[in-house]
Amino acid sequence: MHRHDEDAEGLTRAVVRYAIDRVRMQSPPLDGPVSPAELRRRAGETITDDGIGGDEALRIFSDVLAPACISIDHPRFLSFVPAAPTEAAVLFDLVVGASSIYGGSWLEGGGAIYAENETLAWIARLAGMPKSTGGVFVSGGTAGNLSALLAARHQWRRLADGRLDRARGLIVASKGAHSSVAQAARAMDADVALCDADERGRLSGDAVRALVDGLDEDDLERLFAIVATAGTTNAGVVDDLAGAADVAAENGVWFHVDGAYGAAALAAPSVREHFVGIERSDSLILDPHKWLFAPFDACALLYRDPEAGRAAHTQQAEYLDVLHPVAEPGQEPGPWNASDFAHHLTRRARGLPLWFSLATHGTRAYEEAVETTLRVVREGADVIRGADHLELIMEPELSILLFRRTGWDAEQYQQWSDRMLAEQIAFVTPTKWGDETVLRLCVVNPLTTVDDIELLVEMLA
Ligand SMILES: *Cc1c(COP(=O)(O)O)cnc(C)c1O
């Protein structure tokens, strides 16, 4: 199976053909979930002693398995955070796999890491972070938040010279922070103090200050990071980043910004003002697989001082010493081993699909694509405002619309959502705003149009 013979050639063509046909689809079938029993009935046993053959495996994937996965790039997939990878990025993902690149060390993957670092530098420039900023692509925002907070805690303990090595750390975050922040704290056995958010779900500098000022001396000493969100997942609002940065600076605490969803809008001049203060972050994450048109899975993790990330994450072992030549005094730090900047070792060079698409199309195309989604959301807000049966809950700040269908209870929202998917019209799931069930549309796909939103508004009548 490692030799390239005639059969392998045929299969290569069939698989690449399939990938090309799929990436070309502008509006793929939405598809939907299928029960395990039904999948067993349709797909049967696929792992056998002698193999079922590539043609049959590909047939089962395309006829049975793929249709049991919702197409997240469908223009009316507006739940959660959709994805809209460019053709260039998706096709290059095939190349990354084909190239057998070990993306962990400069020794093995320097060429790939060079290109990934150029991409990270573009994001750092958009954020206004200093030139020395650097980091690595990890699998997603959850991994990015954990790695950044591990670096924050490492620095807090290091600065205490051993005094706090056994102390349990404390993180301050907002009630609107993503669930992965609490999950990181659980993994680290740290505590989270949750700060009240304002009526739009934003963290204000005053609220962080009140919470931090109210901590007793022990808790203040345990505080190692303040986390702000640049684009909350539920409402798409940006915290008062400058206010949170002030409180972090006053207390000598690490400032982490979670921009997994929203920081992509740094590329869009029309909303750039919301992000003032992001340039002061000690660490920042942004998921290109959300709103920067990269395929799954990619999260850009940036450190203002990359050495803080390296100190926390570098793994030591006899067989790894060769990757870490000791720098001579006065020389640059050692080679940029991408593994050293997060909680991982072996890694796919998962920043390359974004790099290739960005190099192909240029940054202006990214600016325009993000602005397109923002425009559709603003026009969509007008459509919702003009509909008697709907009420906009707030003006959109980024690309999320939150609104209610007057008179509906939770069950009616769910039934409507199920019907939209069953009829292959759209995938829109309800969310909660406070205690109330409401609807949420998240637009990150430049192929989503105002007509799509108008169609949904009609369907809600
Ligand atoms: C999506 C999201 C995350 C988690 O990212 P994954 O890539 O799903 O792990 C974290 N923070 C925010 C604000 C998000 O929107």
Side-chain angles (χ1 to χ4, degrees):
M1 62 188 179
H2 283 80
R3 301 241 176 268
H4 188 79
D5 54 18
E6 228 168 86
D7 283 352
E9 178 61 24
L11 189 59
T12 300
R13 288 178 187 279
V15 168
V16 171
R17 186 78 253 154
Y18 178 86
I20 290 171
D21 288 345
R22 174 61 181 85
V23 76
R24 276 184 183 155
M25 287 183 189
Q26 303 263 288
S27 188
L30 256 175
D31 299 328
V34 176
S35 73
E38 183 59 20
L39 282 178
R40 172 138 315 270
R41 196 183 67 72
R42 291 189 211 163
E45 300 265 356
T46 56
I47 306 301
T48 63
D49 285 351
D50 297 322
I52 59 175
D55 292 337
E56 177 60 2
L58 185 59
R59 186 198 66 75
I60 290 173
F61 179 76
S62 66
D63 292 357
V64 181
L65 305 178
C69 303
I70 304 184
S71 303
I72 297 178
D73 56 339
H74 187 286
R76 283 190 300 275
F77 183 121
L78 301 166
S79 295
F80 313 117
V81 181
T86 65
E87 245 183 90
V90 171
L91 291 175
F92 210 72
D93 206 35
L94 296 181
V95 173
V96 173
S99 302
S100 288
I101 293 164
Y102 179 84
S105 73
W106 189 269
L107 175 71
E108 294 149 286
I113 296 168
Y114 172 85
E116 290 188 301
N117 286 353
E118 267 205 294
T119 310
L120 291 171
W122 171 64
I123 294 171
R125 271 201 307 283
L126 286 178
M129 292 172 79
K131 247 187 126 78
S132 53
T133 299
V136 63
F137 285 94
V138 296
S139 62
T142 301
N145 280 334
L146 175 63
S147 293
L149 290 169
L150 284 167
R153 184 175 67 182
H154 189 268
Q155 170 153 302
W156 164 71
R157 287 206 170 125
R158 189 177 55 75
L159 292 175
D161 270 336
R163 213 163 30 82
L164 297 172
D165 281 3
R166 282 162 184 279
R168 199 179 155 95
L170 175 67
I171 298 164
V172 165
S174 134
K175 290 204 170 133
H178 188 262
S179 49
S180 57
V181 173
Q183 187 64 14
R186 259 195 299 281
M188 298 167 72
D189 208 17
D191 294 316
V192 185
L194 282 184
C195 205
D196 277 331
D198 69 10
E199 71 290 346
R200 291 171 63 92
R202 286 175 305 198
L203 179 74
S204 73
D206 289 345
V208 192
R209 178 167 288 106
L211 189 146
V212 171
D213 285 353
L215 293 176
D216 65 26
E217 212 175 299
D218 281 352
D219 280 348
L220 198 55
E221 190 169 63
R222 296 200 301 128
L223 176 61
F224 71 88
I226 293 176
V227 178
T229 310
T232 59
T233 320
N234 201 29
V237 293
V238 182
D239 288 347
D240 173 6
L241 302 178
D246 284 342
V247 181
E250 285 158 24
N251 290 278
V253 169
W254 184 287
F255 179 44
H256 173 64
V257 175
D258 177 355
Y261 151 69
L266 286 167
S270 71
V271 290
R272 182 63 180 80
E273 68 197 300
H274 295 305
F275 295 91
V276 171
I278 203 167
E279 70 284 356
R280 292 163 67 190
S281 56
D282 291 297
S283 51
L284 166 67
I285 65 157
L286 182 165
D287 276 356
H289 65 218
K290 285 182 171 167
W291 199 4
L292 275 187
F293 321 119
F296 301 126
D297 51 7
C299 166
L301 162 62
L302 290 171
Y303 299 99
R304 165 181 230 85
D305 172 13
E307 292 316 308
R310 200 197 301 257
H313 293 294
T314 302
Q315 296 189 27
Q316 310 285 351
E318 300 86 331
Y319 46 85
L320 294 176
D321 282 350
V322 62
L323 300 176
H324 303 119
V326 180
E328 299 292 329
Q331 277 193 337
E332 284 188 37
W336 196 274
N337 294 318
S339 292
D340 292 351
F341 299 96
H343 182 69
H344 57 195
L345 186 62
T346 296
R347 64 177 291 276
R348 178 177 178 83
R350 58 166 64 81
L352 285 183
L354 174 60
W355 163 77
F356 183 74
S357 181
L358 203 51
T360 299
H361 297 294
T363 58
R364 202 170 312 129
Y366 278 72
E367 177 183 320
E368 282 162 15
V370 175
E371 289 288 10
T372 297
T373 57
L374 289 166
R375 211 164 36 241
V376 165
V377 166
R378 285 179 207 126
E379 290 171 19
D382 290 339
V383 174
I384 290 168
R385 221 180 284 104
D388 290 340
H389 55 299
L390 304 179
E391 276 170 20
L392 201 58
I393 288 169
M394 66 173 88
E395 284 305 316
E397 219 168 88
L398 298 179
S399 70
I400 293 173
L401 288 164
L402 275 184
F403 58 101
R404 66 173 64 85
R405 163 66 168 84
T406 45
W408 274 12
D409 61 22
E411 207 180 296
Q412 284 168 298
Y413 281 108
Q414 191 58 53
Q415 282 169 354
W416 178 83
S417 171
D418 293 345
R419 182 165 73 81
M420 287 301 105
L421 183 60
E423 293 179 12
Q424 296 285 286
I425 295 169
F427 185 53
V428 175
T429 50
T431 185
K432 283 270 176 82
W433 184 247
D435 292 331
E436 185 189 357
T437 300
V438 298
L439 282 175
R440 172 181 172 279
L441 306 181
C442 179
V443 179
V444 298
N445 190 336
L447 297 177
T448 303
T449 63
V450 183
D451 289 349
D452 291 319
I453 294 180
E454 277 174 351
L455 175 68
L456 292 174
V457 166
E458 267 170 46
M459 293 284 158
L460 282 160

